[in-house]
Amino acid sequence: MAKKRVNARTQKGALTAEEAEELFSTVDHSGHSDEERARRQRAHRREKGVSLDVDPLSGDDPSGSNVDRTITRTAVAFVLIFLVIVVAGQVAFGLIRRFNTANLSDEATVSTVADALRGGVEWGGGFTQFPQDFSVQEADENTGRIEVTVIDTSSSGALECFSTAQVQATALAVNALLNPDINTVVYHVNVHANENGDMERSELFGFLKPTGDVTSFVTFVWTKTQSATGVNFSCTIAGINDKVQAELRDQVTTSLTPVSLGSGDE
């Protein structure tokens, strides 16, 4: 009997299923069944800036299900801005490089040749840079001669050093020989060698310089001569020691190669 009385007291005043359904059908998203009270509370919240009404069934979809569109627009805008910055940087770098690139066909002096070795030269539709360690022995339009020396610290072997130096010497020489007052360009290439005579190179992205003795590797001599058929540019390779000459011959020549690398003086 006691249990029945407790259940009766608990259920007294409880809503029936029909009454509960009717009540909740009048409750809006603010939690009020009184529309006027709900309207005043929403207005008060808007004035205080405390919260905004959220209607999950709204066509504007303020619930946030359109967040993927926002993320996509933001990502596209970021990529476009990044591309604009990259392109602008490349254009600016190209303009600065062209402005600082020496043109030895206009003027060949110690200063302009040093600028060319420091900043690089345009040649063959491209851009050629030179080793950081260099010196200019002569650059005189009166004698028609340019002579420089560079120290290669980036090549890992004789073949790499030879091919890189040949490109660099050609770029500098052609740029200079276009000057009517320059007829000869001498390009000496030195390297660091250890006690066994092997080449040393920089390490750790160039921060650690080689410490071996500086020794001569190769010399390129470019000359300009005039003939009845026009102007001739010619290159003589000299100064290669027997060890390097044998190594290069094994790598770049065959039994059918008619020209051998010489080690004579310029």
Side-chain angles (χ1 to χ4, degrees), residues 20-22 27 30 49 56 76 90 101 112 141-142 163 173 196 205 217 229 234 254-255 266:
E21 183 177 356
E22 180 180 0
V27 176
S30 66
V76 171
Q90 290 179 338
T101 298
T112 59
E141 293 182 352
N142 294 321
S163 60
N196 296 323
F205 305 102
F217 179 78
T229 58
S234 61
T254 67
S255 59
E266 63 183 69

Side-chain angles (χ1 to χ4, degrees), residues 1-243:
M1 291 296 293
K3 182 180 293 185
K4 290 182 179 180
R5 286 195 296 270
V6 171
N7 292 337
R9 286 196 299 269
T10 302
Q11 294 177 357
K12 185 178 181 180
L15 297 176
T16 64
E18 292 78 6
E19 291 173 340
E21 183 177 356
E22 180 180 0
L23 174 62
F24 282 102
S25 66
T26 62
V27 176
D28 66 357
H29 61 277
S30 66
H32 296 290
S33 60
D34 187 340
E35 293 184 3
E36 180 61 25
R37 183 179 178 186
R39 185 188 62 78
R40 291 197 303 268
Q41 184 169 349
R42 289 196 300 269
H44 179 72
R45 288 177 178 178
R46 281 195 295 268
E47 292 177 357
K48 298 296 184 179
V50 175
S51 63
L52 298 175
D53 293 336
V54 177
D55 185 0
L57 302 179
S58 172
D60 296 336
D61 198 11
S63 61
S65 62
N66 288 334
V67 67
D68 58 333
R69 300 179 185 176
T70 303
I71 293 176
T72 300
R73 288 195 297 266
T74 303
V76 171
F78 174 80
V79 171
L80 291 177
I81 293 174
F82 179 77
L83 289 177
V84 170
I85 294 175
V86 170
V87 172
Q90 290 179 338
V91 172
F93 176 77
L95 293 175
I96 294 174
R97 191 187 71 183
R98 287 179 177 273
F99 180 78
N100 292 329
T101 298
N103 188 358
L104 300 181
S105 62
D106 293 335
E107 183 182 15
T109 64
V110 172
S111 177
T112 59
V113 171
D115 290 340
L117 293 173
R118 186 180 301 109
V121 297
E122 293 185 2
W123 174 77
F127 185 78
T128 301
Q129 291 183 301
F130 301 89
Q132 295 181 349
D133 299 328
F134 66 85
S135 60
V136 181
Q137 284 75 51
E138 182 180 2
D140 192 345
E141 293 182 352
N142 294 321
T143 62
R145 180 183 172 89
I146 291 176
E147 184 174 0
V148 302
T149 300
V150 301
I151 303 177
D152 188 325
T153 59
S154 61
S155 298
S156 59
L159 182 60
E160 181 180 353
C161 182
F162 179 80
S163 60
T164 301
Q166 186 172 15
V167 172
Q168 295 167 350
T170 304
L172 180 69
V174 172
N175 190 289
L177 292 176
L178 293 177
N179 188 318
D181 297 322
I182 298 298
N183 300 315
T184 303
V185 177
V186 182
Y187 190 86
H188 300 288
V189 181
N190 293 344
V191 296
H192 289 270
N194 58 24
E195 57 185 8
N196 296 323
D198 298 324
M199 291 177 54
E200 294 182 344
R201 62 186 299 185
S202 299
E203 302 291 343
L204 195 63
F205 305 102
F207 290 101
L208 295 180
K209 298 293 184 179
T211 57
D213 295 335
V214 176
T215 181
S216 175
F217 179 78
V218 66
T219 296
F220 297 91
V221 182
W222 278 84
T223 57
K224 177 178 63 179
T225 58
Q226 185 174 358
S227 66
T229 58
V231 179
N232 300 321
F233 288 3
S234 61
C235 176
T236 300
I237 303 174
I240 304 178
N241 60 42
D242 294 338
K243 177 182 178 181

